[in-house]
Amino acid sequence: MEHHVGAVLDREERAEERLREYDETARRAGEAIRGAIGEETVLLIRTLAKGMRVHGPSHGTMGHVLYTDLGLRPPDGLR
C-alpha cells in the first residue's frame, strides 16, 4: 500500500525513503529489545472493556510490528 500512496501523490522516492527509515529504526529497536530480554518470548495482550485479547504474529498491524518488524519471538504455539 505504501508504494501506491507514494505513486498517487507523485512522491514515490519520498515514500521509499520513509520506508527505508522505518525499516532501519525497527531493526535498531528490535536489536535493543532483544539485547535487553535475550531469547525471552513476547506476548501482546490487549485489555478491553469486555475481556482480553491475545495478538499473535498474524494480527494485522500490532502483531506484524512486534514479530516481523522488530523480530521479537512469540511464545510457542501462538498463532
Side-chain angles (χ1 to χ4, degrees):
M1 180 172 138
E2 297 86 0
H3 300 284
H4 299 295
V5 173
V8 167
L9 298 175
D10 196 28
R11 298 205 55 191
E12 291 174 278
E13 288 181 31
R14 180 65 177 142
E16 289 293 330
E17 178 183 332
R18 295 295 294 162
L19 288 171
R20 284 190 299 275
E21 289 171 3
Y22 173 83
D23 289 342
E24 179 60 20
T25 299
R27 184 191 63 74
R28 286 193 320 263
E31 285 177 357
I33 294 167
R34 289 188 308 277
I37 68 171
E39 292 298 314
E40 292 290 326
T41 59
V42 174
L43 180 64
L44 173 61
I45 300 173
R46 232 173 105 198
T47 56
L48 306 167
K50 294 185 178 185
M52 296 170 46
R53 282 197 183 145
V54 173
H55 294 284
S58 64
H59 179 267
T61 303
M62 291 184 279
H64 184 84
V65 169
L66 284 175
Y67 305 117
T68 301
D69 296 353
L70 296 176
L72 303 179
R73 202 166 65 94
D76 291 338
L78 181 65
R79 295 182 291 152

